[in-house]
Structures are given as structure tokens and as C-alpha cells.
């Protein structure tokens, strides 16, 4: 039976267009999902939109639009972006879809019946931008610790989820169960949130743009209980490849990865595991990545107005270049900078000089010396031996990084490989060679380009195809098919891969 892999991104708020930060998370998810497919997994990849809540309702009102109409327009832009970026998700879940809403209502009833929900009164400091409550001690100078905006004191009747009953349980899970990577974020979470863990307010009466509960018609479900359950309800959609039980039951064999930005780790690593536990399901596995920041180190966010539109970047640089920058240049887990200068430097220095040129030079030589037909390996070349290219070792190291979700390290391994092959050209100077030696050099080059392009195919989704067309390669990329010999292949015309900016 095929191994199975389930990967999710946060569902983003459609209060505005998405920016490069959202593109970052979704690109990582797409990368790991395509990689797992190459490894022979059956994969399911979910992304979507988190459509309820006061923030959205207010924004729609500002525009004089019905909230559903307002968000639907924005969601079409989400989908357009994912399409342009080559995101290959299976399900796009909207929290306003009936499938999701019905489940969330039923879930409220189920959790009530199990005794995990009670009605009381909420008093606390609320940040509208982040849709979350903070205790006085969590505030920064009286302002929201996440976005820095003014919070307001709120007092209203609310239903609560008995999260605090699970304080010791979740602490133990966080400390011992690898629930959250990178692991250095665990102590942050335990120190800042677990010790003060309170029950979670899960309904509101102050706005009505939300899922109404069956039990009490004044209350709508407050965003996080609604939103987090998307990771379950996505499995009820017609395009779902797996069932809820397959993914979430305690004895599930499905490999799981939930990508989130570090600011929502708390929700995904405290509340979400507890909700799952209440339903008698397994724990999640969360990877919390860092933020994309501006040159001056400021987090890019809609509320700060310093965001970059990924559609424009795709139009200027192409999606392969953008995907590569996000995966390679931002150290997975840490904050990383993005600017036009930085991506242009990467494109010129790496994608053009090292990769695209390697293909163009090899193509030119095979055409010039052998009329476009890849020659055979004739001799054992000293320069090749000395490089000590060990494809199995490279592959193993690359796979280890990927299986540990060290995305930026995985590409470094491939960059090293490309650099060695470029070094091989510099050392052998094929234009000065002839006969068996020349044939052997060019044969090596073509075969290595195939290996590199295959391994990089989950990121450079258009470029690898151009290389495959050039080589007449019809198979879909797979680790099993590496190390082929293209001797005697008639090369097609190669489409240009990357241009200098
Ligand atoms: O939080 N750098 O939605 P959201 C990197 N609806 N990633 C960034 C980023 C940045 N500067 N800015 C945003 C929500 N992101 C909730 C989630 S899930 C059940 C509900 C990415 O639209 C990152 O993944 O505010 C972050 O966690 C997410 O967008 C926040 O998106």
C-alpha cells in the first residue's frame, strides 16, 4: 500500500489580498507535497480561507458589501495567485462552505455533550486585528504583543472550552512528543502561555458574521474554534483523498505536516491538540516558520502596509525564481529578508550563472561537436573521478534534509552539486578537448543535468520540464529514475531557463 502524506497551510483571512508571506507558507507546503509524491507517497494538500469574524464583517461594511460577496471576490484572487504560483493543492476549504459549517456546529454540540463546554462571562483584553485575547501581563505597554495595535477591554457572555483541564497534558506533549518543530519554539510556548493557560472563549454575541450554534441563537462561534477545524472538514470535501479517520484517528498511519507562521503557533500547538484530544484524535505535527521581513527587519503584514504583491513578482521574475528564493534563501524556521535586490542577486548569481548557463553551454557544445546527439562515455576521466560525485550520497543527504523539513538546507545540497559540475567544466575545458575525452565529458554533463533537474523539480516546476523536453524525457520525475545515461539521445531545442536581470 502507498504511504500517505497530509499537508496543510493556515487558512488565510480574506480581508485583503494575499502577500508574499502567505505565498511563502504555501510554497513550502507545495514543495514538500511534490517531493513526497516523488518519493512514491499518495499526498493530500489543503489550503483555504478563514472567512468569519468581526474583522471581515467590519471590512465588508466599510466597502458597503455583503460579507459573503466581499470575501468571495477576494477568494477568487487567492485562487488566481495559487494558480499562478503553481500551487497544486487538492482541496481549497472555505469556512463559509456548508460542509465545514455543518461539521463545526455538530462539533460544538458533541463537545458540549462531552462536558467540555460551559457558559460564562468573558472579560479581557481583545485585539481585533489578531482576533485574540490577551491577559494584562501578555500585553506590551498595554498593546497587542503580536501586532502592536491598541487592544480593547471586552466583557460579554460567552461559551468556553475547558482547555485548562489539559494544561499538564499539553505541556507533557509539547516537551516530549515532537509536536512542534523547530523544537526551540517549545520552551517559548511553555514559558509564555502554558503556565497561564485559561479556558478558551469560543463564542461571541457582539457580531453575527460567524457560524451560529444550534444551542443558543445569540452566539456565533469565535474564529479559532471555527478555523482550526478546517484541517478536519477538508477531509469531507469531494476532492479529498483521505478520510477523517484515516488522518486523525489515534492509530493513523498518515504522515502529517501542518505549516504555520510562528505567530499562530500558540493556536496550533495548544488549542488545536486539545481540541483533537477532546475528539479522541491524534496530535498534530506543526512546523512553525519564521517571518518574511523587510530590509530593515520589519515583519511584512497587511496591517503594517509594507507588503509585497507576489503576482507582481511572478510577472517580473517568473514563478520558478520566486519559489526558489523563498525555499532556498529563507532559512526554514527563521525570519528572512525579501527585497527585489535580494531576489535579483539570487537569480543572476545562481539560477542564471550556475544552472541556466550549465544547460546552455552543454547544449551548445553537443550541437557544435556532435550535431545535437549526446555522445557516449568512452573513458574513465580523472577529473570526473576526482570530483567524487556520489549521487547516492547527495540523494541521501537531500532526502534527510527533506524528511526533517529543513527546506533551505535541501536546496543548498543541490546548489553544491551544480557548483561541482560547473567546476568540472572549468577543469576539463571541453572546448580544448577532442575524441573520447570530449565525448565522455559531454556525456557526463548531460546526465548530471538530468539528475540535478529531477531533484530540483518540486521547486523549479517549469524549468525542469524544459530540460526534460530537451532530453526527450517522458517519465515524471522520480528518485528511482536518477542516474540515467542519455547517450545517443538527439537533443531537442532547449527553451531558455533563466535570464539575467
Ligand atoms: O492567521 N512572513 O490568517 P492570516 C511569513 N486565519 N509568513 C507570513 C507572513 C510573513 N510576514 N505574514 C503572513 C490567520 N504569513 C488565520 C489562520 S489557521 C486555522 C487560521 C503567513 O491571513 C503565515 O503562514 O493572518 C501566517 O501564519 C499566516 O500567513 C497568517 O495568515
Amino acid at each position: 500500500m502507498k504511504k500517505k502524506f497530509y499537508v496543510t497551510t493556515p487558512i488565510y483571512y480574506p480581508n485583503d489580498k494575499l502577500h508574499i508571506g502567505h505565498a511563502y507558507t504555501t510554497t513550502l507546503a507545495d514543495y514538500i507535497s511534490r517531493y513526497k509524491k516523488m518519493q512514491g507517497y499518495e499526498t493530500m494538500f489543503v489550503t483555504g480561507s478563514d472567512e468569519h469574524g468581526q474583522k471581515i464583517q467590519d471590512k465588508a461594511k466599510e466597502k458597503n458589501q455583503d460579507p459573503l460577496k466581499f470575501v468571495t471576490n477576494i477568494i477568487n484572487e487567492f485562487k488566481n495567485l495559487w494558480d499562478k504560483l503553481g500551487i497544486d493543492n487538492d482541496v481549497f476549504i472555505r469556512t463559509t462552505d456548508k460542509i465545514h459549517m455543518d461539521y463545526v456546529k455538530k462539533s460544538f454540540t458533541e463537545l458540549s455533550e462531552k462536558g467540555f463546554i460551559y457558559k460564562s462571562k468573558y472579560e479581557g483584553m481583545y485585539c481585533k486585528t489578531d482576533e485574540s485575547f490577551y491577559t494584562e501581563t501578555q500585553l506590551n505597554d498595554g498593546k497587542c504583543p503580536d501586532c502592536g495595535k491598541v487592544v480593547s477591554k471586552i466583557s460579554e457572555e460567552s461559551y468556553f472550552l475547558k482547555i485548562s483541564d489539559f494544561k499538564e497534558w499539553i505541556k507533557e506533549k509539547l516537551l516530549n512528543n515532537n509536536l512542534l518543530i523547530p523544537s526551540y519554539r517549545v520552551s517559548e510556548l511553555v514559558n509564555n502561555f502554558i503556565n497561564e493557560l485559561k479556558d478558551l472563549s469560543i463564542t461571541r454575541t457582539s457580531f453575527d458574521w460567524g457560524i451560529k450554534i444550534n444551542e443558543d441563537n445569540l452566539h456565533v462561534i469565535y474564529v479559532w474554534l471555527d478555523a482550526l477545524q478546517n484541517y478536519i472538514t477538508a477531509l469531507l470535501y469531494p476532492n479529498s483523498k483521505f478520510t477523517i479517520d484515516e488522518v486523525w484517528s489515534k492509530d493513523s498511519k498518515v504522515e502529517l505536516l501542518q505549516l504555520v507562521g510562528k505567530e499562530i503557533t500558540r493556536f496550533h500547538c495548544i488549542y488545536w491538540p486539545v481540541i483533537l484530544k477532546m475528539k479522541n484524535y491524534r496530535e498534530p505535527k506543526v512546523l512553525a516558520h519564521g517571518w518574511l521581513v523587510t530590509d530593515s527587519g520589519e515583519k511584512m503584514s497587511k496591517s503594517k502596509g509594507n507588503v509585497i504583491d507576489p503576482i507582481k513578482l511572478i510577472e517580473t521574475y517568473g514563478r520558478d525564481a520566486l519559489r526558489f528564493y523563498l525555499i532556498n534563501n529563507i532559512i526554514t524556521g527563521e525570519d528572512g529578508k525579501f527585497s527585489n535586490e535580494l531576489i535579483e542577486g539570487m537569480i543572476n548569481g545562481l539560477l542564471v550563472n550556475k544552472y541556466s548557463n550549465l544547460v546552455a553551454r552543454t547544449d551548445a557544445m553537443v550541437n557544435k561537436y556532435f550535431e545535437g546527439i549526446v555522445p557516449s562515455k568512452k573513458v574513465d576521466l580523472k577529473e570526473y573521478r576526482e570530483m567524487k560525485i556520489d549521487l547516492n550520497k547527495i540523494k541521501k543527504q537531500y532526502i534527510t534534509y527533506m524528511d526533517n523539513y529543513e527546506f533551505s538546507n535541501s536546496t543548498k545540497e543541490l546548489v553544491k552539486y551544480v557548483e561541482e559540475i560547473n567546476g568540472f567544466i572549468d577543469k576539463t575545458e571541453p572546448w580544448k578537448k577532442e575524441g573520447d575525452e570530449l565525448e565522455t565529458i559531454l556525456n557526463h554533463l548531460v546526465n548530471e543535468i538530468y539528475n540535478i533537474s529531477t531533484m530540483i523539480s518540486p521547486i523549479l516546476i517549469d524549468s525542469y520540464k524544459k530540460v526534460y523536453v530537451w532530453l526527450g524525457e517522458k517519465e515524471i520525475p522520480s528518485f528511482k529514475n536518477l542516474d540515467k545515461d542519455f547517450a545517443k539521445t538527439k537533443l531537442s531545442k532547449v527553451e531558455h531557463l533563466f535570464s539575467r536581470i
Side-chain angles (χ1 to χ4, degrees), residues 10-13 19 21-22 25 50 224 227-228 230-231 260-261 263-264 268 289-292 299-300 302:
I11 47 172
Y12 307 114
Y13 291 126
H19 61 75
H22 305 103
T25 318
D50 183 0
W224 284 99
L228 287 165
N230 92 84
Y231 304 126
V260 300
E263 79 292 351
I264 54 175
H268 284 82
H289 64 66
W291 288 334
L292 261 74
K299 182 192 175 194
M300 291 186 191
K302 289 178 252 192

PDB file of all heavy atoms in Angstrom, residues 10-13 19 21-22 25 50 224 227-228 230-231 260-261 263-264 268 289-292 299-300 302, ligand 1:
ATOM      1  N   PRO A  10      -2.062  27.370   6.953  1.00  0.00           N
ATOM      2  CA  PRO A  10      -3.164  28.057   7.640  1.00  0.00           C
ATOM      3  C   PRO A  10      -4.203  28.441   6.588  1.00  0.00           C
ATOM      4  O   PRO A  10      -3.876  28.546   5.407  1.00  0.00           O
ATOM      5  CB  PRO A  10      -2.508  29.327   8.203  1.00  0.00           C
ATOM      6  CG  PRO A  10      -1.043  29.088   8.162  1.00  0.00           C
ATOM      7  CD  PRO A  10      -0.796  28.129   7.044  1.00  0.00           C
ATOM      8  N   ILE A  11      -5.423  28.627   7.013  1.00  0.00           N
ATOM      9  CA  ILE A  11      -6.387  29.189   6.067  1.00  0.00           C
ATOM     10  C   ILE A  11      -6.329  30.704   6.294  1.00  0.00           C
ATOM     11  O   ILE A  11      -6.410  31.176   7.420  1.00  0.00           O
ATOM     12  CB  ILE A  11      -7.799  28.590   6.234  1.00  0.00           C
ATOM     13  CG1 ILE A  11      -8.230  28.548   7.702  1.00  0.00           C
ATOM     14  CG2 ILE A  11      -7.850  27.198   5.635  1.00  0.00           C
ATOM     15  CD1 ILE A  11      -9.683  28.134   7.891  1.00  0.00           C
ATOM     16  N   TYR A  12      -6.123  31.440   5.224  1.00  0.00           N
ATOM     17  CA  TYR A  12      -5.818  32.866   5.350  1.00  0.00           C
ATOM     18  C   TYR A  12      -7.093  33.700   5.396  1.00  0.00           C
ATOM     19  O   TYR A  12      -8.123  33.325   4.850  1.00  0.00           O
ATOM     20  CB  TYR A  12      -4.939  33.298   4.171  1.00  0.00           C
ATOM     21  CG  TYR A  12      -3.712  32.420   4.007  1.00  0.00           C
ATOM     22  CD1 TYR A  12      -3.544  31.609   2.879  1.00  0.00           C
ATOM     23  CD2 TYR A  12      -2.731  32.373   5.002  1.00  0.00           C
ATOM     24  CE1 TYR A  12      -2.429  30.790   2.738  1.00  0.00           C
ATOM     25  CE2 TYR A  12      -1.610  31.560   4.867  1.00  0.00           C
ATOM     26  CZ  TYR A  12      -1.467  30.769   3.732  1.00  0.00           C
ATOM     27  OH  TYR A  12      -0.370  29.958   3.599  1.00  0.00           O
ATOM     28  N   TYR A  13      -6.978  34.857   6.051  1.00  0.00           N
ATOM     29  CA  TYR A  13      -8.124  35.770   6.140  1.00  0.00           C
ATOM     30  C   TYR A  13      -8.331  36.504   4.824  1.00  0.00           C
ATOM     31  O   TYR A  13      -7.396  37.167   4.347  1.00  0.00           O
ATOM     32  CB  TYR A  13      -7.866  36.850   7.197  1.00  0.00           C
ATOM     33  CG  TYR A  13      -7.846  36.369   8.620  1.00  0.00           C
ATOM     34  CD1 TYR A  13      -6.752  36.634   9.444  1.00  0.00           C
ATOM     35  CD2 TYR A  13      -8.929  35.680   9.171  1.00  0.00           C
ATOM     36  CE1 TYR A  13      -6.728  36.222  10.772  1.00  0.00           C
ATOM     37  CE2 TYR A  13      -8.905  35.266  10.491  1.00  0.00           C
ATOM     38  CZ  TYR A  13      -7.810  35.545  11.282  1.00  0.00           C
ATOM     39  OH  TYR A  13      -7.779  35.140  12.574  1.00  0.00           O
ATOM     40  N   HIS A  19      -0.239  38.372   0.436  1.00  0.00           N
ATOM     41  CA  HIS A  19       1.079  38.945   0.139  1.00  0.00           C
ATOM     42  C   HIS A  19       2.127  37.838   0.147  1.00  0.00           C
ATOM     43  O   HIS A  19       1.825  36.652   0.278  1.00  0.00           O
ATOM     44  CB  HIS A  19       1.394  40.093   1.097  1.00  0.00           C
ATOM     45  CG  HIS A  19       1.438  39.709   2.536  1.00  0.00           C
ATOM     46  ND1 HIS A  19       2.489  39.015   3.089  1.00  0.00           N
ATOM     47  CD2 HIS A  19       0.539  39.909   3.544  1.00  0.00           C
ATOM     48  CE1 HIS A  19       2.262  38.829   4.376  1.00  0.00           C
ATOM     49  NE2 HIS A  19       1.070  39.345   4.673  1.00  0.00           N
ATOM     50  N   GLY A  21       4.219  36.836   2.282  1.00  0.00           N
ATOM     51  CA  GLY A  21       4.288  35.976   3.468  1.00  0.00           C
ATOM     52  C   GLY A  21       3.395  34.751   3.301  1.00  0.00           C
ATOM     53  O   GLY A  21       3.767  33.618   3.619  1.00  0.00           O
ATOM     54  N   HIS A  22       2.179  34.983   2.791  1.00  0.00           N
ATOM     55  CA  HIS A  22       1.266  33.856   2.547  1.00  0.00           C
ATOM     56  C   HIS A  22       1.822  32.956   1.445  1.00  0.00           C
ATOM     57  O   HIS A  22       1.719  31.734   1.514  1.00  0.00           O
ATOM     58  CB  HIS A  22      -0.116  34.369   2.141  1.00  0.00           C
ATOM     59  CG  HIS A  22      -0.722  35.329   3.124  1.00  0.00           C
ATOM     60  ND1 HIS A  22      -0.748  36.686   2.910  1.00  0.00           N
ATOM     61  CD2 HIS A  22      -1.290  35.123   4.328  1.00  0.00           C
ATOM     62  CE1 HIS A  22      -1.335  37.278   3.949  1.00  0.00           C
ATOM     63  NE2 HIS A  22      -1.668  36.344   4.824  1.00  0.00           N
ATOM     64  N   THR A  25       4.480  30.427   2.975  1.00  0.00           N
ATOM     65  CA  THR A  25       3.974  29.211   3.623  1.00  0.00           C
ATOM     66  C   THR A  25       3.443  28.228   2.573  1.00  0.00           C
ATOM     67  O   THR A  25       3.712  27.022   2.633  1.00  0.00           O
ATOM     68  CB  THR A  25       2.794  29.542   4.576  1.00  0.00           C
ATOM     69  OG1 THR A  25       3.104  30.726   5.287  1.00  0.00           O
ATOM     70  CG2 THR A  25       2.519  28.406   5.533  1.00  0.00           C
ATOM     71  N   ASP A  50     -10.217  31.680   5.753  1.00  0.00           N
ATOM     72  CA  ASP A  50     -10.830  31.777   7.084  1.00  0.00           C
ATOM     73  C   ASP A  50     -11.726  33.013   7.051  1.00  0.00           C
ATOM     74  O   ASP A  50     -11.251  34.134   7.205  1.00  0.00           O
ATOM     75  CB  ASP A  50      -9.665  31.938   8.077  1.00  0.00           C
ATOM     76  CG  ASP A  50     -10.112  31.984   9.517  1.00  0.00           C
ATOM     77  OD1 ASP A  50     -11.321  31.888   9.780  1.00  0.00           O
ATOM     78  OD2 ASP A  50      -9.222  32.123  10.382  1.00  0.00           O
ATOM     79  N   TRP A 224     -11.259  30.965  16.137  1.00  0.00           N
ATOM     80  CA  TRP A 224     -10.280  29.872  16.172  1.00  0.00           C
ATOM     81  C   TRP A 224     -10.916  28.495  16.228  1.00  0.00           C
ATOM     82  O   TRP A 224     -10.429  27.560  15.597  1.00  0.00           O
ATOM     83  CB  TRP A 224      -9.248  30.072  17.290  1.00  0.00           C
ATOM     84  CG  TRP A 224      -8.268  31.119  16.868  1.00  0.00           C
ATOM     85  CD1 TRP A 224      -8.279  32.438  17.229  1.00  0.00           C
ATOM     86  CD2 TRP A 224      -7.192  30.969  15.924  1.00  0.00           C
ATOM     87  NE1 TRP A 224      -7.266  33.109  16.571  1.00  0.00           N
ATOM     88  CE2 TRP A 224      -6.589  32.235  15.774  1.00  0.00           C
ATOM     89  CE3 TRP A 224      -6.685  29.900  15.191  1.00  0.00           C
ATOM     90  CZ2 TRP A 224      -5.499  32.469  14.926  1.00  0.00           C
ATOM     91  CZ3 TRP A 224      -5.601  30.109  14.356  1.00  0.00           C
ATOM     92  CH2 TRP A 224      -5.020  31.381  14.227  1.00  0.00           C
ATOM     93  N   ALA A 227     -12.005  28.034  12.671  1.00  0.00           N
ATOM     94  CA  ALA A 227     -10.919  27.913  11.688  1.00  0.00           C
ATOM     95  C   ALA A 227     -10.097  26.636  11.845  1.00  0.00           C
ATOM     96  O   ALA A 227      -9.798  25.951  10.860  1.00  0.00           O
ATOM     97  CB  ALA A 227     -10.003  29.124  11.791  1.00  0.00           C
ATOM     98  N   LEU A 228      -9.721  26.309  13.062  1.00  0.00           N
ATOM     99  CA  LEU A 228      -8.820  25.152  13.250  1.00  0.00           C
ATOM    100  C   LEU A 228      -9.439  23.854  12.734  1.00  0.00           C
ATOM    101  O   LEU A 228      -8.732  22.973  12.242  1.00  0.00           O
ATOM    102  CB  LEU A 228      -8.453  25.003  14.725  1.00  0.00           C
ATOM    103  CG  LEU A 228      -7.473  26.058  15.261  1.00  0.00           C
ATOM    104  CD1 LEU A 228      -7.462  26.063  16.787  1.00  0.00           C
ATOM    105  CD2 LEU A 228      -6.064  25.807  14.730  1.00  0.00           C
ATOM    106  N   ASN A 230     -10.888  23.320  10.167  1.00  0.00           N
ATOM    107  CA  ASN A 230     -10.788  23.148   8.709  1.00  0.00           C
ATOM    108  C   ASN A 230      -9.882  21.963   8.376  1.00  0.00           C
ATOM    109  O   ASN A 230     -10.045  21.316   7.346  1.00  0.00           O
ATOM    110  CB  ASN A 230     -10.260  24.422   8.052  1.00  0.00           C
ATOM    111  CG  ASN A 230      -8.747  24.429   7.889  1.00  0.00           C
ATOM    112  OD1 ASN A 230      -8.216  23.873   6.919  1.00  0.00           O
ATOM    113  ND2 ASN A 230      -8.039  25.016   8.834  1.00  0.00           N
ATOM    114  N   TYR A 231      -8.927  21.705   9.264  1.00  0.00           N
ATOM    115  CA  TYR A 231      -7.996  20.601   8.995  1.00  0.00           C
ATOM    116  C   TYR A 231      -8.714  19.251   9.060  1.00  0.00           C
ATOM    117  O   TYR A 231      -8.196  18.250   8.599  1.00  0.00           O
ATOM    118  CB  TYR A 231      -6.834  20.639   9.992  1.00  0.00           C
ATOM    119  CG  TYR A 231      -6.087  21.961  10.012  1.00  0.00           C
ATOM    120  CD1 TYR A 231      -5.899  22.666  11.201  1.00  0.00           C
ATOM    121  CD2 TYR A 231      -5.568  22.503   8.835  1.00  0.00           C
ATOM    122  CE1 TYR A 231      -5.211  23.882  11.228  1.00  0.00           C
ATOM    123  CE2 TYR A 231      -4.877  23.721   8.855  1.00  0.00           C
ATOM    124  CZ  TYR A 231      -4.701  24.391  10.047  1.00  0.00           C
ATOM    125  OH  TYR A 231      -4.022  25.583  10.069  1.00  0.00           O
ATOM    126  N   VAL A 260       2.699  26.570   9.616  1.00  0.00           N
ATOM    127  CA  VAL A 260       2.120  27.830  10.095  1.00  0.00           C
ATOM    128  C   VAL A 260       3.220  28.864  10.288  1.00  0.00           C
ATOM    129  O   VAL A 260       4.380  28.502  10.473  1.00  0.00           O
ATOM    130  CB  VAL A 260       1.383  27.659  11.459  1.00  0.00           C
ATOM    131  CG1 VAL A 260       0.246  26.663  11.357  1.00  0.00           C
ATOM    132  CG2 VAL A 260       2.333  27.258  12.577  1.00  0.00           C
ATOM    133  N   GLY A 261       2.833  30.125  10.272  1.00  0.00           N
ATOM    134  CA  GLY A 261       3.764  31.177  10.655  1.00  0.00           C
ATOM    135  C   GLY A 261       3.915  31.143  12.168  1.00  0.00           C
ATOM    136  O   GLY A 261       2.987  30.744  12.883  1.00  0.00           O
ATOM    137  N   GLU A 263       3.661  33.189  14.489  1.00  0.00           N
ATOM    138  CA  GLU A 263       2.764  33.946  15.367  1.00  0.00           C
ATOM    139  C   GLU A 263       1.494  33.177  15.716  1.00  0.00           C
ATOM    140  O   GLU A 263       0.788  33.543  16.640  1.00  0.00           O
ATOM    141  CB  GLU A 263       2.414  35.305  14.733  1.00  0.00           C
ATOM    142  CG  GLU A 263       1.345  35.308  13.647  1.00  0.00           C
ATOM    143  CD  GLU A 263       1.747  34.611  12.352  1.00  0.00           C
ATOM    144  OE1 GLU A 263       2.917  34.260  12.205  1.00  0.00           O
ATOM    145  OE2 GLU A 263       0.856  34.400  11.504  1.00  0.00           O
ATOM    146  N   ILE A 264       1.199  32.113  14.985  1.00  0.00           N
ATOM    147  CA  ILE A 264      -0.014  31.349  15.324  1.00  0.00           C
ATOM    148  C   ILE A 264       0.335  29.956  15.869  1.00  0.00           C
ATOM    149  O   ILE A 264      -0.517  29.080  15.912  1.00  0.00           O
ATOM    150  CB  ILE A 264      -1.031  31.292  14.155  1.00  0.00           C
ATOM    151  CG1 ILE A 264      -0.384  30.770  12.868  1.00  0.00           C
ATOM    152  CG2 ILE A 264      -1.657  32.647  13.910  1.00  0.00           C
ATOM    153  CD1 ILE A 264      -1.392  30.585  11.722  1.00  0.00           C
ATOM    154  N   HIS A 268      -2.031  26.578  17.239  1.00  0.00           N
ATOM    155  CA  HIS A 268      -1.855  25.258  16.620  1.00  0.00           C
ATOM    156  C   HIS A 268      -1.198  24.236  17.538  1.00  0.00           C
ATOM    157  O   HIS A 268      -1.297  23.041  17.281  1.00  0.00           O
ATOM    158  CB  HIS A 268      -1.044  25.394  15.328  1.00  0.00           C
ATOM    159  CG  HIS A 268      -1.860  25.962  14.206  1.00  0.00           C
ATOM    160  ND1 HIS A 268      -2.079  27.305  14.058  1.00  0.00           N
ATOM    161  CD2 HIS A 268      -2.538  25.346  13.211  1.00  0.00           C
ATOM    162  CE1 HIS A 268      -2.858  27.502  13.005  1.00  0.00           C
ATOM    163  NE2 HIS A 268      -3.146  26.333  12.466  1.00  0.00           N
ATOM    164  N   HIS A 289       7.221  28.349  10.890  1.00  0.00           N
ATOM    165  CA  HIS A 289       8.329  29.019  10.207  1.00  0.00           C
ATOM    166  C   HIS A 289       8.414  30.476  10.634  1.00  0.00           C
ATOM    167  O   HIS A 289       7.511  31.008  11.285  1.00  0.00           O
ATOM    168  CB  HIS A 289       8.191  28.879   8.689  1.00  0.00           C
ATOM    169  CG  HIS A 289       6.983  29.554   8.122  1.00  0.00           C
ATOM    170  ND1 HIS A 289       6.810  30.907   8.131  1.00  0.00           N
ATOM    171  CD2 HIS A 289       5.882  29.043   7.523  1.00  0.00           C
ATOM    172  CE1 HIS A 289       5.663  31.213   7.555  1.00  0.00           C
ATOM    173  NE2 HIS A 289       5.068  30.100   7.195  1.00  0.00           N
ATOM    174  N   GLY A 290       9.514  31.098  10.233  1.00  0.00           N
ATOM    175  CA  GLY A 290       9.725  32.497  10.609  1.00  0.00           C
ATOM    176  C   GLY A 290       9.000  33.438   9.659  1.00  0.00           C
ATOM    177  O   GLY A 290       8.232  33.015   8.793  1.00  0.00           O
ATOM    178  N   TRP A 291       9.266  34.712   9.832  1.00  0.00           N
ATOM    179  CA  TRP A 291       8.583  35.727   9.030  1.00  0.00           C
ATOM    180  C   TRP A 291       9.446  36.252   7.906  1.00  0.00           C
ATOM    181  O   TRP A 291      10.667  36.363   8.041  1.00  0.00           O
ATOM    182  CB  TRP A 291       8.228  36.926   9.915  1.00  0.00           C
ATOM    183  CG  TRP A 291       7.123  36.654  10.861  1.00  0.00           C
ATOM    184  CD1 TRP A 291       6.116  35.754  10.735  1.00  0.00           C
ATOM    185  CD2 TRP A 291       6.929  37.306  12.114  1.00  0.00           C
ATOM    186  NE1 TRP A 291       5.292  35.809  11.822  1.00  0.00           N
ATOM    187  CE2 TRP A 291       5.765  36.758  12.681  1.00  0.00           C
ATOM    188  CE3 TRP A 291       7.601  38.316  12.803  1.00  0.00           C
ATOM    189  CZ2 TRP A 291       5.265  37.171  13.906  1.00  0.00           C
ATOM    190  CZ3 TRP A 291       7.111  38.725  14.023  1.00  0.00           C
ATOM    191  CH2 TRP A 291       5.949  38.158  14.569  1.00  0.00           C
ATOM    192  N   LEU A 292       8.788  36.656   6.866  1.00  0.00           N
ATOM    193  CA  LEU A 292       9.464  37.440   5.847  1.00  0.00           C
ATOM    194  C   LEU A 292       9.482  38.874   6.342  1.00  0.00           C
ATOM    195  O   LEU A 292       8.442  39.403   6.739  1.00  0.00           O
ATOM    196  CB  LEU A 292       8.710  37.361   4.517  1.00  0.00           C
ATOM    197  CG  LEU A 292       9.337  36.343   3.574  1.00  0.00           C
ATOM    198  CD1 LEU A 292       9.019  34.955   4.051  1.00  0.00           C
ATOM    199  CD2 LEU A 292       8.886  36.559   2.175  1.00  0.00           C
ATOM    200  N   LYS A 299       8.499  42.950  10.187  1.00  0.00           N
ATOM    201  CA  LYS A 299       7.621  41.906   9.654  1.00  0.00           C
ATOM    202  C   LYS A 299       6.720  42.484   8.561  1.00  0.00           C
ATOM    203  O   LYS A 299       6.145  43.557   8.737  1.00  0.00           O
ATOM    204  CB  LYS A 299       6.736  41.332  10.760  1.00  0.00           C
ATOM    205  CG  LYS A 299       5.848  40.214  10.240  1.00  0.00           C
ATOM    206  CD  LYS A 299       4.756  39.787  11.195  1.00  0.00           C
ATOM    207  CE  LYS A 299       3.869  38.751  10.502  1.00  0.00           C
ATOM    208  NZ  LYS A 299       2.607  38.503  11.169  1.00  0.00           N
ATOM    209  N   MET A 300       6.607  41.736   7.468  1.00  0.00           N
ATOM    210  CA  MET A 300       5.668  42.190   6.438  1.00  0.00           C
ATOM    211  C   MET A 300       4.269  41.781   6.857  1.00  0.00           C
ATOM    212  O   MET A 300       4.041  40.605   7.142  1.00  0.00           O
ATOM    213  CB  MET A 300       5.994  41.518   5.108  1.00  0.00           C
ATOM    214  CG  MET A 300       7.306  41.991   4.522  1.00  0.00           C
ATOM    215  SD  MET A 300       7.534  41.300   2.886  1.00  0.00           S
ATOM    216  CE  MET A 300       9.248  41.747   2.636  1.00  0.00           C
ATOM    217  N   LYS A 302      -0.192  42.870   6.436  1.00  0.00           N
ATOM    218  CA  LYS A 302      -1.220  43.722   5.850  1.00  0.00           C
ATOM    219  C   LYS A 302      -1.436  44.945   6.726  1.00  0.00           C
ATOM    220  O   LYS A 302      -1.555  46.060   6.236  1.00  0.00           O
ATOM    221  CB  LYS A 302      -2.548  42.948   5.779  1.00  0.00           C
ATOM    222  CG  LYS A 302      -2.554  41.852   4.743  1.00  0.00           C
ATOM    223  CD  LYS A 302      -3.881  41.085   4.756  1.00  0.00           C
ATOM    224  CE  LYS A 302      -3.694  39.707   5.337  1.00  0.00           C
ATOM    225  NZ  LYS A 302      -4.810  38.781   5.152  1.00  0.00           N
TER     226      LYS A 302
HETATM  227  O1  LIG B   1      -3.640  33.956  10.874  1.00  0.00           O
HETATM  228  N1  LIG B   1       6.108  36.019   6.824  1.00  0.00           N
HETATM  229  O2  LIG B   1      -4.585  34.249   8.771  1.00  0.00           O
HETATM  230  P1  LIG B   1      -3.631  35.330   8.109  1.00  0.00           P
HETATM  231  C1  LIG B   1       5.810  34.720   6.701  1.00  0.00           C
HETATM  232  N2  LIG B   1      -6.753  32.963   9.513  1.00  0.00           N
HETATM  233  N3  LIG B   1       4.550  34.236   6.704  1.00  0.00           N
HETATM  234  C2  LIG B   1       3.553  35.116   6.806  1.00  0.00           C
HETATM  235  C3  LIG B   1       3.789  36.498   6.929  1.00  0.00           C
HETATM  236  C4  LIG B   1       5.139  36.947   6.923  1.00  0.00           C
HETATM  237  N4  LIG B   1       5.485  38.216   7.017  1.00  0.00           N
HETATM  238  N5  LIG B   1       2.603  37.114   7.006  1.00  0.00           N
HETATM  239  C5  LIG B   1       1.651  36.139   6.927  1.00  0.00           C
HETATM  240  C6  LIG B   1      -4.525  33.759  10.052  1.00  0.00           C
HETATM  241  N6  LIG B   1       2.218  34.928   6.799  1.00  0.00           N
HETATM  242  C7  LIG B   1      -5.660  32.805  10.412  1.00  0.00           C
HETATM  243  C8  LIG B   1      -5.134  31.384  10.377  1.00  0.00           C
HETATM  244  S1  LIG B   1      -5.442  28.749  10.575  1.00  0.00           S
HETATM  245  C9  LIG B   1      -6.563  27.710  11.285  1.00  0.00           C
HETATM  246  C10 LIG B   1      -6.122  30.334  10.755  1.00  0.00           C
HETATM  247  C11 LIG B   1       1.542  33.631   6.647  1.00  0.00           C
HETATM  248  O3  LIG B   1      -4.279  35.724   6.826  1.00  0.00           O
HETATM  249  C12 LIG B   1       1.912  32.692   7.787  1.00  0.00           C
HETATM  250  O4  LIG B   1       1.612  31.385   7.401  1.00  0.00           O
HETATM  251  O5  LIG B   1      -3.308  36.398   9.083  1.00  0.00           O
HETATM  252  C13 LIG B   1       0.944  33.140   8.848  1.00  0.00           C
HETATM  253  O6  LIG B   1       0.773  32.208   9.884  1.00  0.00           O
HETATM  254  C14 LIG B   1      -0.316  33.321   8.018  1.00  0.00           C
HETATM  255  O7  LIG B   1       0.162  33.836   6.767  1.00  0.00           O
HETATM  256  C15 LIG B   1      -1.312  34.268   8.649  1.00  0.00           C
HETATM  257  O8  LIG B   1      -2.336  34.499   7.747  1.00  0.00           O
END
